[in-house]
Amino acid sequence: MIRIAVCDDHQIVRAGFRQIFSEVSDFEVVAEATTGREALDIARRDACDVMLLDISMPDQSGIDTLRTIKQGQPNLPILILSGYPAQQYAVNLLKMGANGYLNKECDAEELIKAIRTVSTGRRYVSADVGEILAQGFDHNAETALHTELSDREFQVFLRLAKGESVSDIAVTLSLSVKTVSTYRTRVMEKMNLQSNCDLTYYAMKNNLLE
């Protein structure tokens, strides 16, 4: 039996997943979470074999939740389910330790296949994500700049783009102000941007702001 935790703040989405999994003999939904903190609690209790995690959560983003879980429970398979297209987040989240990335509009058959795959500790790479990863080897101008960032740089980038100050980010991520400033400098250099306004514009243009 594969024990599944469904972490999404929309009741109708969780109900939809329960309905799909009720028809699979070796799947069991054992826990649900509506916030990032609840997802962290499920992970710490070792309550599931696979976690389905949404990017958009009300108290903290699924991105921050993913990083925290992978620091404490690195072997817990996490499958990201998002309403955002794969090219916006998939590469960065895989770098952060996600075992797979699927759009919520995927077929039930693909979702079931992905869960079976990640439950064994492997990565599930959909056709869309595979194409994006292949493009990364070309290093052409069409490769999105934010996919070149490290996982921590990506976290800092998103928070700067939302207008958070360096000091606020330092508190939230439990880092020193100097460390966050260093990450900010790296982000600016890698993305060839000059200011926080440029970061915000880029994030809006690429639909990265929740």
Side-chain angles (χ1 to χ4, degrees):
M1 187 68 70
I2 299 175
R3 301 173 302 155
I4 302 169
V6 180
C7 305
D8 191 292
D9 59 324
H10 294 99
Q11 191 277 334
I12 192 169
V13 173
R14 299 195 307 276
F17 287 144
R18 285 199 306 271
Q19 177 61 36
I20 292 172
F21 301 150
S22 68
E23 300 175 6
V24 183
S25 60
D26 58 336
F27 282 14
E28 180 183 9
V29 176
V30 295
E32 296 184 18
T34 60
T35 68
R37 288 185 176 83
E38 290 177 359
L40 290 174
D41 181 60
I42 292 170
R44 287 166 180 155
R45 289 189 287 110
D46 192 28
C48 63
D49 301 314
V50 174
M51 176 175 286
L52 306 186
L53 181 63
D54 184 24
I55 286 179
S56 301
M57 301 290 270
D59 57 342
Q60 64 178 20
S61 73
I63 295 169
D64 292 340
T65 303
L66 170 65
R67 182 178 175 87
T68 302
I69 291 175
K70 284 299 181 177
Q71 287 176 332
Q73 291 79 30
N75 296 322
L76 174 62
I78 298 180
L79 182 61
I80 300 293
L81 284 165
S82 171
Y84 295 97
Q87 63 266 29
Q88 293 170 214
Y89 284 104
V91 172
N92 296 89
L93 291 172
L94 289 173
K95 285 181 181 178
M96 294 176 73
N99 296 73
Y101 184 103
L102 286 177
N103 190 282
K104 288 182 180 178
E105 296 181 1
C106 70
D107 293 337
E109 291 79 7
E110 182 172 24
L111 175 59
I112 293 169
K113 179 181 178 182
I115 290 174
R116 292 195 192 284
T117 299
V118 302
S119 71
T120 64
R122 293 179 292 158
R123 294 280 183 92
Y124 179 80
V125 179
S126 65
D128 288 345
V129 173
E131 184 175 345
I132 294 167
L133 292 173
Q135 289 173 357
F137 290 109
D138 296 333
H139 293 289
N140 58 36
E142 296 182 359
T143 301
L145 294 173
H146 66 272
T147 63
E148 301 296 324
L149 301 176
S150 70
D151 57 350
R152 186 64 95 178
E153 288 166 353
F154 186 59
Q155 272 189 301
V156 171
F157 156 67
L158 287 179
R159 290 185 174 279
L160 288 169
K162 292 176 183 177
E164 294 185 28
S165 68
V166 169
S167 57
D168 287 342
I169 296 172
V171 172
T172 302
L173 300 182
S174 300
L175 299 171
S176 69
V177 171
K178 182 178 179 180
T179 298
V180 175
S181 296
T182 299
Y183 280 124
R184 178 184 181 278
T185 300
R186 290 179 188 171
V187 169
M188 294 295 188
E189 290 175 349
K190 286 186 177 182
M191 300 182 70
N192 195 27
L193 300 175
Q194 304 300 319
S195 68
N196 287 6
C197 290
D198 292 340
L199 290 177
T200 301
Y201 177 75
Y202 178 94
M204 292 176 65
K205 183 179 178 181
N206 287 274
N207 298 313
L208 294 172
L209 295 181
E210 298 173 13

